[in-house]
Amino acid sequence: MLSGVRTQPFQSGRGPLSPGTRAGIGAALVLLALVSAVDLADGRQAHYVALLAAAPVVAAALTSWRVVLGLGVLATGIGAGFALAERTASLVTAVNVAGVALATAVAAAVAAVRQRQAEQIVELTRLASVAQQAVLRPLGPQVGTLTVAARYISSTATAEIGGDLYEVMDTPYGVRMIIGDVRGKGLDAVRLASIVLGSYRHVAYERPDLRAVVTDLDRAVARNVGDEDFVTAALVEERGGTLTIVNCGHPPPLLLRRGAVIPLEPPAPAPPLGFMPVVRPRVERLEPGDRLLLFTDGLGEARRDGEFFPTADRAWRLLGHGTVADGLASLETALVEWVHGRLDDDIALVLMEYTGPRSDLTAAVPSWEVGAAEG
């Protein structure tokens, strides 16, 4: 899982200072030096002591409360030094020094609250990542006759969690896979994604016909969503070199073969899961070295300045080299560069390569023909 640029909050404890902490300390020290230089140049009357309060306030935005407190003590000490150096004691200067001390206390309190919130965000992000990994199990690198790699690209920097889903399994009916996209975001989307995946992991081993799998998944979705909720999905089966695809309102997979990119459009459109889809399978014969890209609509919607990412035009150059993991890494890099690190939607990617027939398979019969072949 990855999003473009992630913010690293301050981490308490010993160890190297983070870039943000170093920047905060540097900015505060520069302010102290400038104010001190101006006051020294102005003569023996301390006119600018109050400006020293800016140092702990600036530091509070980037550093821990301990650092803020230390810088505030330094600023207060400098202010007190200027006050003592005056020819005659000034009430205004004394009040300004007290104001620096008060600003230090307030800035330290603000920094403590910000640090606590940053630590909570880190913990929530970690929990979100754990939840996502519980839903989306690691794939590959080899499933049956396919080498497999998957990638989840999050559109948010604070939580890697969403409703995109995928799974690949080696079943009695061949290698079966699903990729889907739940309408909506957040925990409700993850809950529905987990329901779909839980149902799929069961019925994929039980139903010889992919159309029956779609029917079971549609019932599972309909029982757990509102009237306007749905799940787009594409289900794929590889059996003895024969590829069978059924599509429920999802972007069609891309077949990469000898430099060509072929969108595997369904024979007829079907609505998403939750709307009782009636699907028609599309069947393709695979060749060793063929690659298949499954993706969610976040890839198709990625754009900059109104121009969409040219997935089909660049797919072979990005995905046709190295391992399947290398291909997905190249695609992600190109995509993030295209959108300048800002995505509008999460993206799930699964890339597979057909390595050739297995010796234990004697016939290339897709699941939707199993019953007829046996009869």
Side-chain angles (χ1 to χ4, degrees), residues 123-197:
E123 179 64 14
L124 288 174
T125 302
R126 186 188 68 81
L127 293 175
S129 179
V130 171
Q132 191 78 56
Q133 292 171 13
V135 174
L136 300 179
R137 301 183 298 195
L139 299 183
Q142 188 76 29
V143 183
T145 59
L146 303 174
T147 56
V148 183
R151 222 167 179 91
Y152 193 101
I153 309 174
S154 176
S155 62
T156 60
T158 55
E160 302 174 348
I161 195 163
D164 292 15
L165 59 98
Y166 54 76
E167 180 62 285
V168 179
M169 300 183 300
D170 194 2
T171 75
Y173 309 106
V175 178
R176 286 182 165 179
M177 58 212 78
I178 184 175
I179 190 162
D181 190 357
V182 176
R183 178 181 181 271
K185 294 180 180 291
L187 292 177
D188 288 340
V190 173
R191 179 187 64 84
L192 183 53
S194 66
I195 291 172
V196 173
L197 284 175

Side-chain angles (χ1 to χ4, degrees), residues 196-270:
V196 173
L197 284 175
S199 300
Y200 178 76
R201 286 164 182 160
H202 172 70
V203 300
Y205 283 95
E206 302 295 327
R207 305 298 190 204
D209 190 331
L210 280 182
R211 290 172 294 189
V213 175
V214 168
T215 300
D216 288 342
L217 294 180
D218 178 67
R219 290 171 182 165
V221 171
R223 287 193 297 264
N224 291 278
V225 299
D227 294 337
E228 298 182 357
D229 295 324
F230 57 83
V231 180
T232 67
L235 284 75
V236 181
E237 175 188 284
E238 183 278 319
R239 182 180 175 88
T242 297
L243 193 70
T244 306
I245 305 168
V246 294
N247 197 314
C248 304
H250 198 77
L254 299 180
L255 177 63
L256 285 71
R257 173 180 292 166
R258 298 193 300 272
V261 179
I262 307 167
L264 300 182
E265 298 280 357

Side-chain angles (χ1 to χ4, degrees), residues 29 32 56 64-77 104 108:
L29 292 177
L32 291 177
S64 72
W65 67 269
R66 291 182 178 86
V67 174
V68 172
L69 192 59
L71 290 169
V73 169
L74 177 60
T76 304
T104 297

Side-chain angles (χ1 to χ4, degrees), residues 30-57:
V30 168
L31 277 173
L32 291 177
L34 287 174
V35 173
S36 299
V38 170
D39 230 328
L40 285 172
D42 192 47
R44 303 203 48 169
Q45 204 67 25
H47 292 146
Y48 304 101
V49 168
L51 296 178
L52 294 171
V57 171

